[in-house]
Amino acid sequence: MIEKTYTVSGMTCASCASAVTRVLKKIEGVEKADVNLTTEKVLIQSDRDLSFEDLSKAVDKAGYGLVEITHERESVLAIEGMTCASCSSAVERALKKQKGVSSVSVNLTTNKATLSYDPSLVKMSALKAAVDKAGYKASEIETKAQEDAESLRQALEMKSMTIKLITSAIFAIPLLFIAMAHMFPELKIVLPEIIDHKMNPLNFALIQLILSLPIMYSGRKFFTIGFKTLSKGSPNMDSLVAIGTGAAFLYGTYNTTKIAQGFHNLTESLYFESAGVVISLILLGKWLETRSKGKTSQAIKKLMGLAPKTAHLVVNDEIQEISLEEVTLKDILLVKPGERLPVDGIVVSGSSAIDESMLTGESLPIDKNIGDKVIGGSLNKNGSIKMRASAVGEDTALARIIKMVEDAQGQKAPIAKLADIISAYFVPTVMVIAISAGLFWMFQGKSFDFVLNIFVTVLVIACPCALGLATPTAIMVGTGRGAQMGILFKGGEALEQAHKTTAIIFDKTGTLTQGKPSLSDFISFSDDEDALLRILASAESVSEHPLALAILEAAKAKKLSLSQPSDFLAVSGKGLSAKVEGKLVLIGNEAWMNENKIKLPELTQMTTLSDQGKTVLLASVDGLLEGFLAIADQLKPESIEAVKKLKKLGIKVAMITGDNRRTANAIAAQVGIDLVMSEVLPQDKGAEVDRLKKEGYKVAMVGDGINDAVALTKADTGIAIGSGTDVAIESADVVLMRSDLNDVVKAIALSKATMTNIKENLFWAFIYNIIGIPFAAGVIYLFGGPLLNPVFAGAAMAMSSVSVVSNALRLRFFKEA
């Protein structure tokens, strides 16, 4: 399956998004077309490589535009050594030969080369090398990512909208004043005689016509797009505005010509203020909407801003400053205090506290020493470190997070399909209502002015902008907030599905537990406990057994200095023997002690520890039992709390493990889990998920290993721990950047909050239309109520969009209750 994302221009409402989806799905090979009104992007999945021209033609035919998204960079190089035109030609040729370079322009006068290239195909270092090979020297002096072009496009669009809004407001205010002043005699507003509706009716009409022209020009987009989509058979919001305000303007213009012929009574039938003020109000609504929509992608912008532009490369103890794109795998990089880490890597020198809060949601800085992994984009707080690059470019954790969040924001949640279905029929239905209402009042003997008022008001108030924004804005803000908290939803569907969870299965090892054995209990029969631990750890220091590592870690934590053992012997399934400082040390199980004729007393404490699922090792020194060690895969501190919270939410909690029943039950009892699935082979984990689903549960699976991948895929919601394997992360729907299981509860709570927000948005989107359309059509007037003015209809329509976006933005402040 091939996936490509494009920018769609000209969309203004949900019916636009539906129209674009329809035309794209008609193209042979297109399996899926997800149009996001908020981001103005479309994600196309196809079973073949479709040409951009074919896609663009189809979208253009529907009345919209399709723009290719490229990842090109635009750079300016300073070229040294050029003296004539042949030099500049040589540099140009050398650069053009490089794969991924799309355009080059070399200026001999300024000694600069401007070029566009794809950094995924060619690195800046290769371009510089090509210039050097041609006999000249190149150095980068300016870099501009084409991603910035998107921000620039949005900024220019905002500026254009601001100019149109100000222009329309400048002319709409006096237009409204002139047109309406005489209707309110109690205000005692007297117009100059030259434009008074009684003394100079023609001037009164002409001044309104003149004032409305700049407003109509400012709102010309409504007419160009509205009539184009109408002619293509897929009318949208712009079509409603264009027909309504266009009819009012044309009727006003017609009456102006009649006034010029002497029909002065028609000064009461000029609708220029309706057309002008409605367009101004809709422009205001669009301006507020665009301004608010800019805030929905704030989380993504913050993440993008984390990566530094340059890195300090260490070559033969010398420091070179290079651009981020030039960093390659295994490069040694210096990161100074207060700087952000350029890429993912491993600390090879120095130590520091690293703030990973923007990436993982972890509030406290984490101490990093030699051998520890570090994440690109995180902040180095105090010490200088040297790191070896382990992931660069699109493979870094930061790049993958940004990609994951962008994909999630671009995909539709199933609930969005409801809005799509409604919007596909909504605009044509509104047109039918507007025409029917107009005809009804015409047959009731009302004047043409009254009928036109009804027609325009219905069209204007029914604009479905809010309907199209209800779902995508909430999903964008919700996924963005999740990213800030270290919770990554891979799509709108994952965000919608998580809150439906009624049963959750936790993998044991590495999910509920630390994933590595540690010394949980150490019982010493000698007076000096530390001395005994030092001798036992020394004996284990040459062993490769996982249990030996637990004993060594305990000794390391106490900073005990170990001795080199001799005569080391390890017997599989029993234990080991070794000489340490001339003493014979035995460590192993009861059978190993009996085999070596070590006298064992009655040890009830040992039995108790075994019943808790812990592995107990006996230890003797020179033939005497000196103590025993209990080793277990310890529970994560937050496991008990997370399980309690999930139970409070009414969710059934289960644990799945390959461990024996006794060990599994012991761990489950500690954490408070009732349903235990023990002795389950990796390949059978998926079947256990299916079993719960058949019982009617909506199942979430939480895991971290390769053996959890099938279960994560089969679950309704797969949740991977971020410290887990790439396979688990790829198979999951939700990725937790931290290993804190409380984030499972937060993910479910955020999903619930987002879905509640979407439902609230849909309510506000519908309520305006449910109340507004009958009011506009004159139903209330029919029973003695007031008639809605088109100006108020325009204001209500604008406010519906603003209220929906503003409500979605509340999710930015989500905190788990």
Side-chain angles (χ1 to χ4, degrees):
M1 193 68 70
I2 299 167
E3 277 192 8
K4 284 188 180 177
T5 305
Y6 302 93
T7 298
V8 185
S9 61
M11 293 195 301
T12 53
C13 65
S15 55
C16 301
S18 298
V20 174
T21 303
R22 279 199 305 275
V23 296
L24 287 171
K25 279 187 174 175
K26 285 178 184 174
I27 298 170
E28 195 178 345
V30 173
E31 298 286 328
K32 186 180 177 185
D34 265 355
V35 181
N36 190 319
L37 178 63
T38 313
T39 57
E40 295 179 332
K41 287 186 172 63
V42 57
L43 172 71
I44 298 172
Q45 287 183 351
S46 56
D47 59 10
R48 65 198 74 174
D49 195 7
L50 300 167
S51 74
F52 172 72
E53 286 73 24
D54 291 345
L55 297 169
S56 182
K57 270 180 195 171
V59 174
D60 187 60
K61 202 173 176 184
Y64 307 92
L66 199 67
V67 183
E68 260 187 300
I69 298 173
T70 66
H71 298 284
E72 283 199 337
R73 293 181 67 87
E74 197 177 275
S75 292
V76 180
L77 297 176
I79 312 292
E80 291 178 34
M82 293 194 299
T83 54
C84 63
S86 60
C87 297
S88 60
S89 298
V91 172
E92 201 165 300
R93 278 197 305 276
L95 289 168
K96 275 185 176 173
K97 281 179 186 173
Q98 302 305 304
K99 187 183 178 183
V101 175
S102 57
S103 67
V104 182
S105 173
V106 181
N107 190 316
L108 180 62
T109 312
T110 59
N111 288 319
K112 288 178 184 176
T114 305
L115 66 153
S116 294
Y117 69 100
D118 187 340
S120 64
L121 298 175
V122 62
K123 299 291 179 199
M124 178 51 71
S125 50
L127 297 172
K128 288 178 183 175
V131 175
D132 291 349
K133 199 174 176 184
Y136 307 91
K137 185 167 172 45
S139 55
E140 193 177 10
I141 57 170
E142 186 184 334
T143 305
K144 184 178 177 299
Q146 194 151 3
E147 281 87 75
D148 294 342
E150 181 67 14
S151 299
L152 182 66
R153 183 188 70 79
Q154 289 172 355
L156 288 172
E157 186 183 349
M158 192 67 194
K159 187 181 177 183
S160 171
M161 285 184 73
T162 305
I163 292 166
K164 286 174 184 174
L165 176 61
I166 292 169
T167 304
S168 65
I170 287 169
F171 290 96
I173 293 165
L175 173 61
L176 186 64
F177 183 80
I178 292 165
M180 308 289 281
H182 68 280
M183 296 182 187
F184 301 95
E186 61 274 14
L187 297 177
K188 296 180 181 176
I189 298 169
V190 180
L191 290 176
E193 194 175 299
I194 194 168
I195 55 168
D196 185 87
H197 73 292
K198 285 181 180 174
M199 297 181 182
N200 285 292
L202 182 58
N203 289 353
F204 176 73
L206 286 172
I207 189 72
Q208 290 184 56
L209 174 61
I210 291 162
L211 286 170
S212 62
L213 287 172
I215 303 170
M216 301 297 281
Y217 183 73
S218 296
R220 64 191 178 279
K221 192 178 172 186
F222 297 127
F223 298 95
T224 53
I225 294 174
F227 287 123
K228 188 176 183 182
T229 55
L230 185 63
S231 67
K232 302 291 180 186
S234 54
N236 64 358
M237 186 215 88
D238 291 332
S239 307
L240 299 180
V241 175
I243 295 167
T245 57
F249 178 79
L250 290 173
Y251 184 56
T253 307
Y254 170 75
N255 282 347
T256 301
T257 61
K258 297 297 284 181
I259 289 167
Q261 293 168 19
F263 295 93
H264 296 166
N265 61 313
L266 291 176
T267 52
E268 299 295 332
S269 302
L270 297 171
Y271 275 86
F272 292 119
E273 85 286 349
S274 291
V277 176
V278 164
I279 284 174
S280 298
L281 284 168
I282 293 171
L283 285 171
L284 173 63
K286 284 283 163 201
W287 184 84
L288 288 168
E289 188 185 295
T290 305
R291 191 164 169 268
S292 300
K293 268 174 23 182
K295 293 177 185 175
T296 60
S297 55
Q298 223 171 47
I300 280 280
K301 286 171 186 169
K302 279 184 183 175
L303 286 171
M304 285 176 165
L306 290 180
K309 299 285 182 274
T310 58
H312 307 298
L313 179 68
V314 181
V315 182
N316 301 325
D317 293 329
E318 285 187 13
I319 310 296
Q320 297 175 11
E321 190 167 293
I322 59 169
S323 66
L324 187 65
E325 290 73 33
E326 291 181 80
V327 177
T328 54
L329 287 175
K330 298 186 179 176
D331 276 353
I332 303 297
L333 307 167
L334 173 70
V335 186
K336 298 172 186 175
E339 292 183 341
R340 290 202 176 272
L341 278 66
V343 293
D344 297 356
I346 295 162
V347 178
V348 294
S349 170
S351 62
S352 181
I354 306 288
D355 180 1
E356 298 178 346
S357 58
M358 268 303 289
L359 291 155
T360 64
E362 185 69 62
S363 56
L364 296 172
I366 300 162
D367 290 329
K368 299 286 184 179
N369 299 298
I370 293 170
D372 288 339
K373 288 181 180 179
V374 286
I375 308 171
S378 52
L379 181 66
N380 183 20
K381 296 290 279 188
N382 44 32
S384 283
I385 57 167
K386 284 181 184 173
M387 57 177 278
R388 186 192 309 112
S390 61
V392 298
E394 292 178 359
D395 297 324
T396 63
L398 179 60
R400 283 161 67 194
I401 289 168
I402 291 168
K403 175 82 169 65
M404 223 180 270
V405 178
E406 280 181 332
D407 287 350
Q409 292 182 346
Q411 287 176 25
K412 280 184 180 164
I415 198 169
K417 288 167 188 171
L418 170 68
D420 285 353
I421 293 162
I422 292 165
S423 62
Y425 300 100
F426 189 77
V427 176
T429 304
V430 168
M431 286 184 169
V432 170
I433 292 169
I435 293 164
S436 301
L439 290 171
F440 172 80
W441 288 110
M442 190 182 288
F443 289 127
Q444 292 296 313
K446 294 292 181 182
S447 67
F448 185 74
D449 293 357
F450 186 94
V451 172
L452 181 68
N453 185 76
I454 292 284
F455 180 71
V456 172
T457 308
V458 171
L459 291 177
V460 170
I461 204 165
C463 293
C465 303
L467 188 62
L469 295 168
T471 307
T473 47
I475 287 172
M476 281 191 75
V477 182
T479 49
R481 179 66 187 130
Q484 288 176 333
M485 295 165 71
I487 301 164
L488 305 178
F489 291 93
K490 286 192 181 176
E493 191 164 350
L495 189 62
E496 180 173 339
Q497 199 68 36
H499 86 286
K500 296 177 183 175
T501 301
T502 54
I504 192 159
I505 304 172
F506 285 101
D507 168 54
K508 180 185 83 74
T509 308
T511 303
L512 287 169
T513 66
Q514 302 281 9
K516 60 177 184 178
S518 62
L519 187 63
S520 62
D521 303 88
F522 178 43
I523 309 298
S524 172
F525 303 146
S526 69
D527 295 332
D528 192 343
E529 187 179 292
D530 284 357
L532 177 62
L533 181 61
R534 187 181 68 80
I535 287 170
L536 298 180
S538 297
E540 293 278 17
S541 62
V542 291
S543 172
E544 292 179 358
H545 197 282
L547 298 181
L549 295 176
I551 298 167
L552 288 168
E553 283 292 324
K556 187 180 172 184
K558 290 194 168 190
K559 296 181 179 173
L560 303 176
S561 56
L562 307 184
S563 301
Q564 185 66 29
S566 61
D567 301 338
F568 178 84
L569 172 70
V571 179
S572 180
K574 291 184 180 180
L576 64 83
S577 69
K579 280 197 171 179
V580 179
E581 297 171 1
K583 297 173 182 177
L584 178 63
V585 178
L586 296 172
I587 304 172
N589 57 23
E590 200 170 337
W592 182 237
M593 293 296 144
N594 291 330
E595 194 174 309
N596 284 278
K597 298 181 171 56
I598 305 297
K599 192 177 178 183
L600 301 176
E602 189 69 33
L603 296 170
T604 53
Q605 200 173 357
M606 181 175 153
T607 309
T608 305
L609 291 168
S610 293
D611 289 342
Q612 290 173 6
K614 295 176 181 179
T615 302
V616 182
L617 300 175
L618 298 156
S620 78
V621 180
D622 284 341
L624 290 173
L625 187 72
E626 293 288 353
F628 58 89
L629 312 101
I631 294 168
D633 184 2
Q634 300 274 49
L635 277 176
K636 288 179 180 174
E638 70 279 0
S639 294
I640 296 168
E641 187 189 354
V643 169
K644 267 186 193 170
K645 286 179 180 177
L646 289 165
K647 282 184 165 182
K648 266 189 183 177
L649 292 172
I651 295 170
K652 189 178 185 71
V653 184
M655 183 184 82
I656 195 164
T657 179
D659 282 352
N660 64 63
R661 190 175 298 279
R662 190 179 73 167
T663 303
N665 286 336
I667 293 288
Q670 286 178 57
V671 82
I673 291 174
D674 307 318
L675 179 59
V676 182
M677 303 167 183
S678 57
E679 299 173 15
V680 180
L681 295 171
Q683 61 267 31
D684 297 331
K685 284 187 177 182
E688 292 294 329
V689 171
D690 285 339
R691 185 171 63 81
L692 274 184
K693 284 170 81 173
K694 279 175 188 170
E695 288 177 25
Y697 290 102
K698 288 285 181 185
V699 181
M701 168 74 196
V702 185
D704 72 327
I706 290 170
N707 59 359
D708 299 319
V710 175
L712 287 167
T713 307
K714 286 201 167 191
D716 295 296
T717 306
I719 303 173
I721 303 290
S723 58
T725 63
D726 286 347
V727 177
I729 289 167
E730 287 301 316
S731 306
D733 305 299
V734 183
V735 178
L736 308 179
M737 289 301 293
R738 299 186 298 174
S739 295
D740 188 340
L741 292 186
N742 283 311
D743 286 353
V744 173
V745 187
K746 287 179 187 174
I748 292 169
L750 179 58
S751 165
K752 198 170 187 175
T754 306
M755 293 316 298
T756 301
N757 193 280
I758 288 171
K759 286 167 187 171
E760 288 168 355
N761 285 349
L762 289 169
F763 169 79
W764 285 114
F766 283 123
I767 203 73
Y768 277 98
N769 290 324
I770 290 166
I771 295 171
I773 292 175
F775 202 170
V779 174
I780 310 296
Y781 178 81
L782 192 64
F783 295 99
L787 194 65
L788 187 64
N789 188 290
V791 171
F792 293 114
M797 192 282 293
M799 284 313 300
S800 67
S801 297
V802 175
S803 62
V804 160
V805 178
S806 301
N807 187 51
L809 288 173
R810 288 191 306 113
L811 284 169
R812 289 194 298 164
F813 310 106
F814 167 83
K815 283 181 183 174
E816 185 212 356

